[in-house]
Amino acid sequence: MTPAEQSKAALHICQLAPVVPVLVIEDLAHAKPLAQALVAGGLPALEVTLRTPCALDAIRAMAEVEGGHVGAGTLLTRADVKAAKEAGATYGVSPGATPALIDACCEFGLPLLPGAVTASEIMALLEKGYTVQKFFPAEQSGGAAFLKSIGSPLPQVSFCPTGGISLKTAPDYLSLKNILCVGGSWVAPKEAMAKGDWAAITALAAQARTLR
């Protein structure tokens, strides 16, 4: 799968909803009901970060939820890409991009949303064929103002910014022409997951769905 083909697939994922939940799953029992709650609220594209021991099993469980599109976040190595693909991830997200990571996504056919934060990084990925990119960490790297500015010289690239984005700041990003969606963790609070309050998470997802 070429980088251009990966970006075409990533474009489809990013257009499903204005917000992609960025999820850190610490209890495997939460995975499936969490996915069901988010999908029910109108957020079908889910990113499970590979930051916990049960992350890959969580992807397997969430991949069974009808209507969901589960991706693996925090991809860093070839092994991460292989494991994510085998677990049922339909796309991958990385905080940055290395030649080895890009080669692995091409090899295993996993659409990658590669991270970039400078004009040179964005240009280097565009040169390879990535027209859809992640901007991370968004709030700490200039936020919506930076992305508005970069849109003029690089209109070919569309972004999914993540990192520090909240319900309050998300509209600032979503109002820009070069923003497809934003990634955010506010739609799945740890407190609600710990209580099993899936109705509250569905309500937060439904609210996020209306942002665009």
Side-chain angles (χ1 to χ4, degrees), residues 21-25 34 38 184-193 198 201 204-205:
V22 179
L23 309 170
V24 179
I25 310 295
L34 175 60
L38 290 166
S185 59
W186 82 85
V187 293
K190 288 185 178 180
E191 298 80 7
M193 284 195 282
W198 310 119
I201 290 175
L204 287 170

Side-chain angles (χ1 to χ4, degrees), residues 34-46 65-69 205:
L34 175 60
Q36 291 170 331
L38 290 166
V39 171
L43 302 183
L46 313 172
V65 175
E66 186 176 355
H69 300 263

Side-chain angles (χ1 to χ4, degrees), residues 11 22 38-39 44 56 70 77-78 93 100 117 126 138 163 181 202 204:
L11 175 64
V22 179
L38 290 166
V39 171
L56 290 170
V70 186
T77 65
R78 180 182 184 278
V93 185
V117 75
L126 177 61
C181 61
T202 294
L204 287 170

Side-chain angles (χ1 to χ4, degrees), residues 33-79:
L34 175 60
Q36 291 170 331
L38 290 166
V39 171
L43 302 183
L46 313 172
E47 177 190 338
V48 178
T49 60
L50 300 187
R51 302 179 195 174
T52 62
C54 69
L56 290 170
D57 286 331
I59 289 172
R60 290 187 183 93
M62 296 170 88
E64 298 176 356
V65 175
E66 186 176 355
H69 300 263
V70 186
T74 324
L75 296 178
L76 304 178
T77 65
R78 180 182 184 278

Side-chain angles (χ1 to χ4, degrees), residues 129-191:
Y130 288 104
T131 55
V132 179
Q133 302 177 20
K134 171 182 175 177
F135 180 69
F136 173 85
E139 285 290 281
Q140 297 83 351
S141 302
F146 176 89
L147 289 166
K148 182 178 180 180
S149 297
I150 206 71
S152 294
L154 290 167
Q156 309 95 319
V157 183
S158 297
F159 296 93
C160 170
T162 72
I165 298 175
S166 66
L167 176 63
K168 181 179 179 180
T169 59
D172 296 335
Y173 292 90
L174 293 169
S175 67
L176 302 178
K177 293 180 180 179
N178 59 344
I179 303 304
L180 296 168
C181 61
V182 300
S185 59
W186 82 85
V187 293
K190 288 185 178 180
E191 298 80 7

Side-chain angles (χ1 to χ4, degrees), residues 1-21:
M1 178 176 260
T2 68
E5 291 169 338
Q6 292 173 42
S7 274
K8 185 177 180 180
L11 175 64
H12 172 70
I13 293 293
C14 289
Q15 289 177 328
L16 290 172
V19 177
V20 175

